[in-house]
DNA sequence: CCCCATTGTTCTAATAATTAGAACATATTA
DNA sequence: TAATATGTTCTAATTATTAGAACAATGGGG
């Protein structure tokens, strides 16, 4: 009697409903009929004896209880998915998926070479790339959301069981949009230094949820404009909102066409950049990738 | 495609198999035929592409991957069961979690008694305690980061919809060691207020209550030093580690000899500390806690 | 203000999944 | 060796899930 009414499937259904905004859209995403969704929700509501959606006409809004199940349900979903992956890894030694977080300031051209070769050789391993920012990357590693960090900024958190290797950051170019109001006045060094203080800095804000946040900005004077990722930063600069450092390879096209202009200022060394993973991660795929990338770095 | 092959049901099946020692016994427990168990396990193994049991004749032993799924699966089962419980309670007005902010310079014996009894009685409600410093608590309450403030300093912000009750306490004196590095600079009010943020706070951490999670401090810069009882707290302050409030009678000797110095700040009699929450918070758990606390106070 | 597309529910039939029961092979134990 | 228990496989039956159509309610656009 009274068995657990919550199933993985219905949690996936709730997740889809919330993400897509309606039963119908969720049904489409899950390749089901709307009625199937409707019945699934009804069944759960009936078995729990509570309502999860407040029906307001054709639109449904989650009740507090519904929100709770959705929020915790998503964690459960993630846990089970990871569990399936981990089990496969234990059985075969090979992880079915490797999640890689790349620091937004990091140039990843070389790294993608390694990944490309790896995928040719081991096509069954999925690679999941995400962009992360400053301490958000370390946090993701700690929580197991990523297996490998590329270009994470030092210092390396100690006593957490991480293995970290210094890698090249890649070339960062401070740029301004050619159509920026002050762009024409930046023709010589003297002017540049004088105007620099007046230019707004586009800064990527830390994505760290808990823990200490920090920002990448170097100097603290002048105005800041905060964005959440490198794409937004590039677009903010293109729109003439301000200036900022960008990995050269990501804006080569704009530089060639003269849409973005490099600022003739000296770049400070900045913090070191690390390749990092957990020591207790024994995945064979991870080992291949890190070994090869380190070899490539040191051969330069 | 490739959906998650792990279901709640199959986890329950695995759990029963391991607990009862055989497919047949598990089938009995789950009111199913043995063949149903057999098929369920086969299906999971097939979908994961790995084997979970090593068939040794009629007896089956879990493989390492099987053990992993069993172990983590049990946690998932517990989580979903609790989630179902919590959802039901949320639907009836009980909040799944109550976040409590505690002003950390003091310890609140009476309050923790109430909490302790509450947890025993309502184990599905999570209590999350975080520490806050000075007015940071009011801000946290306003922003909804905490539901209840304990020991918040007056005055109570008006017109914000707060309900506040004075917490009775003995005569507490905020003190610092005379030989503390910064003690000499605390001669006037201005200096004191400025330096206050830099002084480490000695906090009694009531670790006797399991089931209470503790968040990181709400103030990021205020350092904390945790001890387990009042004796340790006094000695930590004597050692110059930081500051804290101490009942006057316990340190009268030190005060007389000038070994400990009272901090000439805040609570000069008139400033009381409060238990406070939002009036529009209708959570039943919160109501129980506050009602009981008030009853306990007035019975004295 | 009205029309029309969209949404969610309900119904029924169909499809897919799970399950029981019997037969059987194998292993354990007395 | 006999007796018992176990897990697998087969088939059939039961159950659960799903699709599709009909419908009512809703809200946005013209």
């Amino acid at each position: 009697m009274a068995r657990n009414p919550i199933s993985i499937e219905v949690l996936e259904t709730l997740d889809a409903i919330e993400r897509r905004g309606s039963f119908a859209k969720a049904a489409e995403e899950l390749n089901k009929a709307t009625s199937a969704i409707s019945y699934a929700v009804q069944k759960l509501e009936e078995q729990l004896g509570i309502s999860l959606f407040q029906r307001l006409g054709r639109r449904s809004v989650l009740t507090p209880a519904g929100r709770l199940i959705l929020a915790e349900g998503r964690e459960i979903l993630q846990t089970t998915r990871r569990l399936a992956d981990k089990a496969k890894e234990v059985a075969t030694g090979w992880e079915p998926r490797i999640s890689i977080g790349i620091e937004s300031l990091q140039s990843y051209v070389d790294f993608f070479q390694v990944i490309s070769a790896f995928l040719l050789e081991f096509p069954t391993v999925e690679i999941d790339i995400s962009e992360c920012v400053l301490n958000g990357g370390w946090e993701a590693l700690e929580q197991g959301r990523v297996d490998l960090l590329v270009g994470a900024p030092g210092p390396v958190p100690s006593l957490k069981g991480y293995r970290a290797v210094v890698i090249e950051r890649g070339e960062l170019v401070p740029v301004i949009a050619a159509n920026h109001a002050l762009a024409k006045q930046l023709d010589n060094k003297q002017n540049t230094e004088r105007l620099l203080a007046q230019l707004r800095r586009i800064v990527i804000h830390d994505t760290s949820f808990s823990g200490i946040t920090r920002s990448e900005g170097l100097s603290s004077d002048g105005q800041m404009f905060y964005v959440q990722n490198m794409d937004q930063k590039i677009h903010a600069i293109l729109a003439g909102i301000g200036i900022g450092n960008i990995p050269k390879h990501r804006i080569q096209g704009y530089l060639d066409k003269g849409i973005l202009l490099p600022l003739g200022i000296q770049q400070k060394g900045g913090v070191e950049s690390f390749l990092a993973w957990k020591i207790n991660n024994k995945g064979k795929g991870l080992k291949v990738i890190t070994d090869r990338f380190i070899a490539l770095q040191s051969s330069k």
Side-chain angles (χ1 to χ4, degrees), chain A:
Chain A
M1 43 129 236
R3 259 228 281 337
N4 194 339
I6 295 181
S7 71
I8 299 295
E9 267 226 86
V10 82
L11 290 180
E12 268 167 349
T13 305
L14 288 182
D15 173 56
I17 292 171
E18 202 272 348
R19 273 188 294 102
R20 308 303 305 273
S22 75
F23 284 28
K25 296 270 178 58
E28 192 185 1
E29 174 175 312
L30 299 172
N31 296 314
K32 293 184 177 179
T34 316
S35 56
I37 306 294
S38 182
Y39 278 118
V41 172
Q42 276 177 42
K43 184 185 153 200
L44 179 59
E45 288 183 320
E46 192 180 331
Q47 294 191 327
L48 283 174
I50 63 180
S51 66
L52 304 177
F53 290 93
Q54 198 165 7
R55 270 75 171 182
L56 300 171
R58 80 183 194 192
R59 189 148 297 274
S60 297
V61 182
L62 281 165
T63 62
R67 276 198 298 277
L68 175 72
I69 292 193
L70 178 68
E72 293 210 24
R74 281 180 171 152
E75 285 177 39
I76 293 170
L77 286 177
Q78 247 195 331
T79 310
T80 55
R81 285 192 208 115
R82 286 212 199 107
L83 176 54
D85 285 349
K86 274 197 273 184
K88 285 183 204 167
E89 182 179 340
V90 166
T92 65
W94 287 90
E95 54 276 61
R97 177 201 332 274
I98 301 175
S99 296
I100 300 172
I102 299 184
E103 160 61 37
S104 60
L105 288 172
Q106 179 70 28
S107 174
Y108 44 76
V109 178
D110 288 350
F111 185 73
F112 274 19
Q113 296 278 317
V114 172
I115 295 299
S116 173
F118 176 84
L119 283 174
L120 279 176
E121 207 168 332
F122 309 102
T124 60
V125 179
E126 278 179 31
I127 302 286
D128 185 354
I129 301 271
S130 57
E131 181 180 305
C132 46
V133 177
L134 301 170
N135 281 335
W138 293 108
E139 196 175 297
L141 182 64
E142 176 61 24
Q143 294 175 1
R145 295 203 309 274
V146 304
D147 303 305
L148 179 63
L149 277 181
V150 181
V156 178
S158 55
L159 298 175
K160 294 265 191 175
Y162 300 150
R163 178 112 171 69
V165 178
V166 176
I167 58 175
E168 275 181 28
R169 160 76 71 209
E171 193 176 355
L172 289 177
V173 193
V175 292
I176 188 169
N179 60 4
H180 189 286
L182 297 177
K184 291 180 199 76
Q185 300 176 45
L186 298 169
D187 46 359
N188 67 62
K189 208 165 188 173
Q190 215 172 2
N191 266 343
T192 302
E193 298 202 345
R194 187 171 49 78
L195 288 173
L196 215 52
Q198 299 173 34
L199 289 166
R200 205 180 282 113
R201 313 291 170 111
I202 313 296
V203 174
I204 301 182
H205 193 268
D206 207 315
T207 52
S208 174
F209 286 109
S210 60
I212 302 145
T213 61
R214 59 169 158 172
S215 302
E216 44 139 348
L218 304 173
S219 56
S220 59
D221 53 341
Q223 301 155 287
M224 300 289 182
F225 184 85
Y226 292 99
V227 294
Q228 294 182 332
N229 58 47
M230 187 51 74
D231 260 342
Q232 290 175 4
K233 180 170 180 176
I234 292 172
H235 283 105
I237 292 174
L238 283 171
I241 294 174
I243 62 170
N245 287 325
I246 307 285
K248 193 175 184 183
H249 71 102
R250 291 187 69 152
I251 49 167
Q252 193 63 58
Y254 296 124
L255 289 172
D256 292 345
K257 291 183 198 152
I259 298 174
L260 290 179
L261 305 175
L263 291 166
I265 54 174
Q266 195 55 35
Q267 190 55 43
K268 285 200 272 182
V271 292
E272 280 180 310
S273 186
F274 291 91
L275 187 74
W277 63 97
K278 285 190 178 176
I279 291 176
N280 60 6
N281 188 330
K282 303 285 192 213
K284 291 183 188 172
L286 182 71
K287 180 160 171 47
V288 170
I289 290 174
T290 52
D291 283 353
R292 290 190 183 173
F293 185 61
I294 293 167
L296 182 64
Q297 289 273 310
S298 59
S299 72
K300 285 193 171 180

